[in-house]
Amino acid sequence: MQFFLADPQGWKAPVIRPDAEALRASSVEIFVHAPYVLNLASTNNRIRIPSRKLLGQHAAAAATVGASGLIVHGGHVNKGEDIAVGIDNWRKALQKAQDDGGLPTRVLIENTAGGDNACARRFDELARLWDAVGEFGVGFCLDTCHAHAGGEKLLDIVDRVKSITGRIDLVHANGSRDGFDSGRDRHDNLTVKNVEPGMIDPELVAAVVRAAGAPAVVETPGGAEGQSADIAYLRAHQ
């Protein structure tokens, strides 16, 4: 399972869960998602420096629940800025964390859906990012909605990702409300009836989960009912 330890849209420090001990002792594999505001690539000191602090806080808090990974979006630079600077900012952040004793939870970089200046939307940029940060022991989280909306086809995507990262640690098995290469991050259920042209075929998502050989979670709408149906679909197609 996956959860946040603070407001995903805010800068507040994480809150240690009262059930942390039970979570550590459970047989369920746990992942923590960092807040969406965190952007280690940013050229803005008012974003980049707090992002580094937040990264360390959430990695420490994730360790208290026995998390296998801390999911962090790939981040971006602003329009007109050189993405190489953002990639170097990623490297500097992880180098500083290593120099300070290392992070207690593995960082899982997640591919993102939008932005022409994103560090992990297109796999060409992801390869550049991995060349810069792979030595720091980071992992990878593959989001199927983000890949589809970001312009990366799901067919053979596991092989393409692993040729860059060498690993996939977690799959976010999500449908998409929008078409291929839309740049829009809007998740949809896998079990939606009458899949429209350009939407994600749920069989492709199931195939990604099978090929990745990694844990998978759904981040789909519909509450317990909608997500339960998506989980049942994935289990039936493994």
Side-chain angles (χ1 to χ4, degrees):
M1 63 180 173
Q2 173 186 288
F3 48 76
F4 292 93
L5 290 172
D7 178 3
Q9 302 291 354
W11 292 96
K12 291 185 177 179
V15 177
I16 303 302
R17 291 176 61 115
D19 58 353
E21 185 177 349
L23 288 168
R24 287 196 308 273
S26 76
S27 60
V28 177
E29 189 161 10
I30 295 165
F31 296 87
V32 170
H33 202 303
Y36 300 130
V37 295
L38 194 156
N39 183 4
L40 294 172
S42 178
T43 59
N44 185 337
N45 288 346
R46 294 183 178 181
I47 295 176
R48 185 180 66 259
I49 294 173
S51 291
R52 291 181 179 182
K53 180 179 179 181
L54 208 61
L55 177 72
Q57 291 174 335
H58 278 264
T64 69
V65 297
S68 296
L70 174 67
I71 298 107
V72 180
H73 284 181
H76 62 277
V77 296
N78 293 325
K79 184 177 180 180
E81 295 179 336
D82 188 351
I83 196 171
V85 177
I87 290 172
D88 192 49
N89 284 339
W90 254 102
R91 184 192 62 77
K92 289 177 179 177
L94 294 178
Q95 181 67 65
K96 184 179 187 306
Q98 180 174 283
D99 293 344
D100 291 343
L103 298 171
T105 305
R106 186 188 301 275
V107 169
L108 306 184
I109 298 174
E110 180 181 355
N111 61 308
T112 51
D116 292 331
N117 303 296
C119 296
R121 173 183 178 177
R122 312 281 188 188
F123 286 177
D124 285 347
E125 281 73 32
L126 177 63
R128 294 171 62 190
L129 176 61
W130 217 262
D131 284 345
V133 304
E135 66 182 275
F136 297 104
V138 293
F140 188 73
C141 173
L142 172 61
D143 188 303
T144 55
C145 171
H146 294 178
H148 174 82
E152 295 289 347
K153 294 182 179 180
L154 296 188
L155 188 65
D156 297 328
I157 194 170
V158 168
D159 289 339
R160 288 187 286 121
V161 167
K162 287 187 175 180
S163 71
I164 296 169
T165 66
R167 61 192 299 151
I168 294 175
D169 298 83
L170 178 67
V171 176
H172 284 169
N174 301 316
S176 174
R177 295 186 185 183
D178 301 288
F180 181 77
D181 205 15
S182 65
R184 304 187 71 184
D185 181 5
R186 300 200 305 166
H187 299 183
D188 205 354
N189 297 97
L190 304 179
T191 50
V192 173
K193 296 180 180 179
N194 302 320
V195 176
E196 298 178 9
M199 302 299 103
I200 298 178
D201 183 342
E203 292 185 5
L204 279 176
V205 178
V208 168
V209 174
R210 288 196 303 271
V217 297
V218 298
E219 300 174 313
T220 50
E225 182 179 354
Q227 292 192 344
S228 293
D230 291 333
I231 291 169
Y233 176 87
L234 290 173
R235 285 176 171 166
H237 289 79
Q238 294 307 300

